[in-house]
Each structure stands twice: as structure tokens, then as C-alpha cells.
Amino acid sequence: MTISKESQGRLREVAARVAADVEEAMRSDIKRALRRCDPLLTEVLEYALFGGGKRIRPLLTVLSSSICGRRDEELYLLSAALEYLHVATLIHDDVIDHARTRRGRESVRNKYGMAVAILAGDWLHARSMHLIGQITGPEGLSAFCRATGAMVDGEYLQLRHAGNIEMKEEDYFAIIGRKTASLISSTCVLGAMFAGGTQEQQQSLGRYGEKVGVAFQVVDDLLDYLGDQQQTGKKVGNDFIEGKITLPLIVALKQADAKEHGELTALLSGDRSGPNACEHLRVLLDRLGGFRFARQHAEFLVGQAVDSLQIFVPDGDSESYELLVAIAGYILAREH
Amino acid sequence: MTISKESQGRLREVAARVAADVEEAMRSDIKRALRRCDPLLTEVLEYALFGGGKRIRPLLTVLSSSICGRRDEELYLLSAALEYLHVATLIHDDVIDHARTRRGRESVRNKYGMAVAILAGDWLHARSMHLIGQITGPEGLSAFCRATGAMVDGEYLQLRHAGNIEMKEEDYFAIIGRKTASLISSTCVLGAMFAGGTQEQQQSLGRYGEKVGVAFQVVDDLLDYLGDQQQTGKKVGNDFIEGKITLPLIVALKQADAKEHGELTALLSGDRSGPNACEHLRVLLDRLGGFRFARQHAEFLVGQAVDSLQIFVPDGDSESYELLVAIAGYILAREH
């Protein structure tokens, strides 16, 4: 699937506008919520919330609501709430992973210490739930908390499989489905719910979000091997160095003959941060079709995502439809 | 204020029954929520939730609802949700403080590691919000999230004042008001809200909870110096060793003459874990009236707590009224 230059340009333009509106909503919400609070809390939250970020989740909420016919001020506050939770999980993830950087800057944990980071994540989590409960009521909150629960469950599954070279494709998809896709999916569902969309519309957007979310992670894991460090901001082969088993490797292990299997396991159990280890692995994964399969699978998922939007043709808002399709296409085209 | 032996016995009996009912509610909720989840998540949550604990917060919710006239099955689930949040904060606190033990057992952080602990806290946080949103609607959720935000703000204030011997009484009360009392207060408000209590009833119980919460923490900080290690499960003078400035010390520093002030600051800046340091400090704090003042202030707060229940005489449920009074009294009598 390819998207036209025109579509790409239009997506960039809308994405920038939505990001600006959501950031404005975050700024005024934070200001309101933090009146009479400790100034350090304000400083940390501003640092964490306004350090870049693609704002893909808020964009999905806005478009999911728009395609069902509603787009007003409050929608940006709802989108802000979803971004809060996303940022909260990044802050806690960086504590868990002892990560020094995030988006090319110091991580909150590194800059302010663990205690401040854990607490800032908790604050954002609570504020997020508060706003979602206010805006979408118990039904939306419930959908959202299920997604949060699933994220934690996905993290546990990932811990369980850390460094496990016998991990199966279905384990990989169970992990990323819970860790990444559940929140993206509920982001779309909440947008539809906010607009008073029908059950069918909510489900359709939920499925779109899920497929897009899984595809996003598959591509992310591909870029980890094939991306340009300048663009991704992450070291090439970072997952491999950390012993994280992702789709290209799982596929390669399955395709490998005895000799190749031996080579792969030797690389994994050896000094993974050695100068040639990653390059050697890349050659093997490429030869065994790991990258090709992951790429094809992401394309397949993106196709499914677009298919699940069919019910909006021709009844939904056509501009939102085209932008949602363009986002799905962007996932395949992205380089960072 | 003293409470009769009969009242004490009755409180113990009701507290045990409520604790059992709330634990049953937690067990069946966890089972329902964790269907198809990673078994480690179940294990960790069971370890964290069922390791003792006084269940004071659930008891306050149950009584606050009962005094306004409602007591049914769902109330125990609401109480369970409030206990979830309390346990979530304990788990995160233990990560922040690198605490090895909690209630005489290994802390979750120590037993399962930091990653598992942070995530388990996040899960409980989300589940708590989910249930509260379901049971009390956006209004209750909003009251509750304000309390959670206040807790984080209180923690930041505490970090700001760590080891600051110039800390004022008002700083101390601002910290414990936010860190401890806000959640206890909202626990009572939510019980009243659940029962459909009037604004006046909600406010009255909220004030009761706030006063009880502050008194509870003042006594906790007193027991840190004067408690029996066997009973509290904590090392005597633990706050002092960690450089935490609490009310007895603040009062003593204010009362001290130049020589005594010098002695106090020397103790604080010296080897606080030395064999005689804590005992020496205890003598000084006692002489300077630090303990006496803290004790009297706790009594004063407990009196205010009881006063704020006046609107329930003679209209509220008289058994719940007496038990709420007995809890206030228990705070002064507790030895651990």
C-alpha cells in the first residue's frame, strides 16, 4: 500500500494542527490542575509532556471522533488525557529500563531521579483517568482501564520471555497486542464513543486501532535493526543488545537449518554488544527472510486496518477516512 | 479522649468482619479481572494485597456509607477499590525508598524486583480507578483523583524538605495533609457519596477523615520514636536515621535554646545510625516537649474529628457513629 504525496502532505498538515491543539489543551489543563502544587511537579510534568513526541494517539482520537461526526473543544482535552497516559507509561518504562535518554533528551528518571519519575507517572495516570471519567463516563473509563490492565499484563509476559529464544510468534504477538496495540485501539474506541458512534463504528475503529498498533510495533522492531540511528535516535540493534527477541529473529530461528540455528544462538549468547555481532546477525536475519516476513506482515496488518474502515464509506466524514488510511500507510513508510 | 473497653471490643469485632468481607471482594474481583492474564501478575497481586494490613480505609468507607444509611454488597467492592490504591502507593513507595520489608515480610520490590513492582502498582491504580468510576460515577472518581494528585504533590513537598531542619510546622502539616489525610478523607467522602448522602453529610465525613488522617500520621511519627520495635515492625528512630523531619523534632528545634539547638543539629548532621544517637535525640525531644506537643495535637485533632460527626446525632445510624468515634479514639491508643 502506498499513499500519494498529496495525502502525505495533508496528513502532515493536519497532524501538526492537532498536535498544537492537544498541546494547548494539555498546557491549560496542567495549569488548572496544578494550582497551589509544588513547583517541581509542574516543572517535571512540563519537561515530560512537551519534549517532542509524535502525538499519534491524540491524532487517532481526534480522527476517530471526527469520522463519527463530532469535533469540538472537549475532544482535545480527551486526546490530552490519552497522551497523559502514554507519557506516564514512557516515564515508568524508562525507570524500569534504567533508560538515560528519551527522544534525544535526558529521560525524566535520569534528570530528576527515580522517586520523582515514579510519582510524576502516577500523577499523570490519575489525571488521565480523572479526565476520561469526566468526559466519557464510566463506559469509556472502563474500556480504557481494560487497556491499561492489558499493558501491564503485556509487560509481565515480556519479562517472562526476556531472552527466551524459544519464544513463539504467538507469544510475540500476544505481547505487542497487549503492550502497544491495546492502548492505541482504545484510543480509537474512545474517540468513537465520545462522538456517540454506534457499536459497529466503535468496533470498527477499535479493530483499526488494534491492527495499526500491532503494525506500528512490528515496524518499530524492524527499524531497530534497519533504521538509521540519526533518525530513530536509538542505537541500531538495541533490542538485540538488550536480549529482546522480536519478530525478525523469531522467524529466522524458525527458518534456520541446524548450522544457522547454531550461529544464531551463539550470537545471542555471546557478547551481543561486540563490534560485529549485530552486523553478523543482520546478515543472517536478512538471508533467512526475517526482515522480509516482518515487512510483509506489517503490510498485511495495515491492509486489515484499512479494510475495517469500510463501514465509513461512504457515510463517514470522508476527510477523516482518508487521513486514517494515510496514517496506516505512514506506518509502513516511516523511517523513525 | 478515652474509649470504653466495650467499644474497643465492638470495634475489633466489626473491623475483623469488614476486613474479611473486603478481602473476599478483592479476591473475587482479582480473579475476574485477571482471567487469561500472566500468572506472575496474579501471584504478585495476591502477595501484595493479602499480607496483613489493618484495612482501616475500607472500614472507614463502610462506616461512612452505613452512617448515611446504605450497606450492601457493592459497598465492599468500592472499599476494595480504595484499598487497591492504598496498596499501589505502598508498592511504589517501597520502590522509591528501596525498602526491603513491609509489614514484617519482604517488600514486593525486594521479592520480585523493581520492574514487577512498578507495574503491579500501575495495575492496581488502574483497576482502582475503573471500579470507582463504575460504582460512584464521574463525581466520585473526580474526588478520588484529586486525592491521588494531592498524594503525589505531598510526596514532592516531602522530597523538597528532606533533611531540611528549617522546615516549619505548616510545611509538616501540608505534607501529611496531602500525603496521608487526603486519601483517608476521600475514602470517607466516597462512602457517603455511595450512600447518596447530602452535601453536608459528605463534607462532615470528609472533615472527619481529614482530621483522623492527620492525627493518624502524627501518631505514626510519634511511634517511630517511642514505639516498640516488636509491635511496629519498624526500627525505632527510623525516620531520624533516614533524615526525615517530623513534628516532635520541629517542635523541639523551635523550643531549643542556642546550646540545645546546636546539640540537635549536631545529632542530625552526624552519624545518625550510631548506637547512641537516637537515644540521645529521644532524651532531647522529650525534654523540649516535642513528644508532649505531638501527642496533645493528635488529641486535639481527634476531638475535631469527633465534633464533625455531630450532624449524625441523632439522625445517623448510631452504631456506625459509635464505631467512627471509636476509630478516632483507637488512633490515640494504638501502639503499632
Side-chain angles (χ1 to χ4, degrees), chain A residues 284-301:
Chain A
L284 275 170
L285 295 189
D286 191 32
R287 194 204 306 154
L288 290 163
F291 298 137
R292 196 173 51 244
F293 178 86
R295 177 93 209 153
Q296 283 168 351
H297 193 74
E299 282 166 9
F300 172 72
L301 289 164

Side-chain angles (χ1 to χ4, degrees), chain B residues 14-250:
Chain B
V14 172
R17 211 175 54 226
V18 167
D21 287 343
V22 170
E23 286 179 15
E24 198 187 307
M26 292 198 290
R27 277 189 206 282
S28 59
D29 177 60
I30 288 287
K31 202 171 159 188
R32 193 169 49 236
L34 291 182
R35 222 177 290 140
R36 288 188 297 274
C37 277
D38 192 89
L40 179 61
L41 182 55
T42 309
E43 182 187 327
V44 174
L45 290 175
E46 284 183 351
Y47 182 81
L49 289 170
F50 304 108
K54 306 188 195 78
R55 314 290 186 208
I56 290 178
R57 288 158 191 80
L59 180 60
L60 286 172
T61 314
V62 168
L63 294 175
S64 296
S65 176
S66 304
I67 203 171
C68 296
R70 181 173 173 189
R71 184 165 191 156
D72 56 30
E73 272 301 298
E74 209 181 15
L75 177 55
Y76 294 95
L77 189 58
L78 174 64
S79 306
L82 295 166
E83 187 71 358
Y84 285 172
L85 190 91
H86 173 57
V87 173
T89 62
L90 297 182
I91 296 174
H92 281 185
D93 277 356
D94 286 345
V95 174
I96 290 172
D97 299 337
H98 305 275
R100 292 172 180 279
T101 59
R102 162 73 60 188
R103 293 172 185 149
R105 306 185 309 160
E106 265 190 291
S107 63
V108 172
R109 163 206 169 268
N110 214 56
K111 190 170 166 81
Y112 296 101
M114 179 189 66
V116 163
I118 292 180
L119 293 165
D122 289 346
W123 192 95
L124 284 170
H125 194 177
R127 185 71 188 168
S128 172
M129 300 290 180
H130 165 79
L131 291 172
I132 290 166
Q134 295 296 306
I135 298 171
T136 67
E139 195 196 358
L141 183 72
S142 164
F144 193 62
C145 289
R146 265 199 304 276
T148 326
M151 280 170 70
V152 171
D153 185 41
E155 296 268 4
Y156 270 77
L157 257 184
Q158 182 166 317
L159 289 171
R160 176 175 300 277
H161 285 291
N164 170 21
I165 62 159
E166 287 173 14
M167 190 168 125
K168 302 271 174 292
E169 266 172 58
E170 51 264 38
D171 299 320
Y172 171 79
F173 286 113
I175 291 170
I176 67 176
R178 293 171 205 198
K179 253 195 74 170
T180 309
S182 66
L183 184 62
I184 294 183
S185 174
S186 75
T187 287
C188 297
V189 172
L190 257 70
M193 218 180 251
F194 173 79
T198 63
Q199 276 296 325
E200 195 193 5
Q201 289 177 322
Q202 291 181 28
Q203 279 168 12
S204 149
L205 285 160
R207 202 162 43 236
Y208 164 85
E210 198 203 318
K211 301 294 177 186
V212 156
V214 175
F216 182 87
Q217 190 61 49
V218 169
V219 172
D220 216 57
D221 293 341
L222 251 182
L223 287 173
D224 192 81
Y225 283 109
L226 303 177
D228 176 347
Q229 186 167 343
Q230 292 297 322
Q231 293 215 41
T232 61
K234 279 186 253 175
K235 196 167 169 174
V236 175
N238 190 50
D239 285 347
F240 164 63
I241 293 165
E242 288 181 356
K244 213 173 121 193
I245 315 277
T246 62
L247 190 57
L249 183 54
I250 293 170

Side-chain angles (χ1 to χ4, degrees), chain A residues 56-179:
Chain A
I56 290 179
R57 288 158 191 81
L59 180 60
L60 287 171
T61 314
V62 168
L63 294 176
S64 296
S65 176
S66 305
I67 203 172
C68 297
R70 182 174 172 188
R71 184 164 192 158
D72 55 30
E73 273 301 298
E74 209 180 14
L75 177 55
Y76 294 95
L77 189 58
L78 175 64
S79 306
L82 295 165
E83 187 71 359
Y84 284 172
L85 191 92
H86 173 58
V87 173
T89 61
L90 297 182
I91 296 174
H92 281 185
D93 277 356
D94 286 345
V95 174
I96 290 171
D97 298 338
H98 306 276
R100 290 170 181 279
T101 59
R102 161 74 59 187
R103 293 173 185 149
R105 305 186 309 160
E106 265 190 290
S107 63
V108 172
R109 164 206 168 268
N110 215 56
K111 189 171 166 81
Y112 295 101
M114 178 188 69
V116 163
I118 291 179
L119 293 165
D122 288 347
W123 192 95
L124 284 170
H125 193 176
R127 185 71 189 169
S128 171
M129 300 290 179
H130 165 79
L131 292 173
I132 290 166
Q134 295 296 308
I135 298 171
T136 66
E139 195 197 358
L141 183 71
S142 165
F144 194 62
C145 289
R146 266 199 304 277
T148 326
M151 280 170 71
V152 171
D153 186 41
E155 295 268 2
Y156 270 78
L157 257 183
Q158 182 165 316
L159 289 171
R160 176 175 300 276
H161 285 292
N164 171 20
I165 62 159
E166 287 173 13
M167 190 169 124
K168 301 271 174 293
E169 266 171 59
E170 51 264 38
D171 299 319
Y172 171 79
F173 286 113
I175 291 170
I176 68 176
R178 292 171 206 198
K179 254 196 74 172

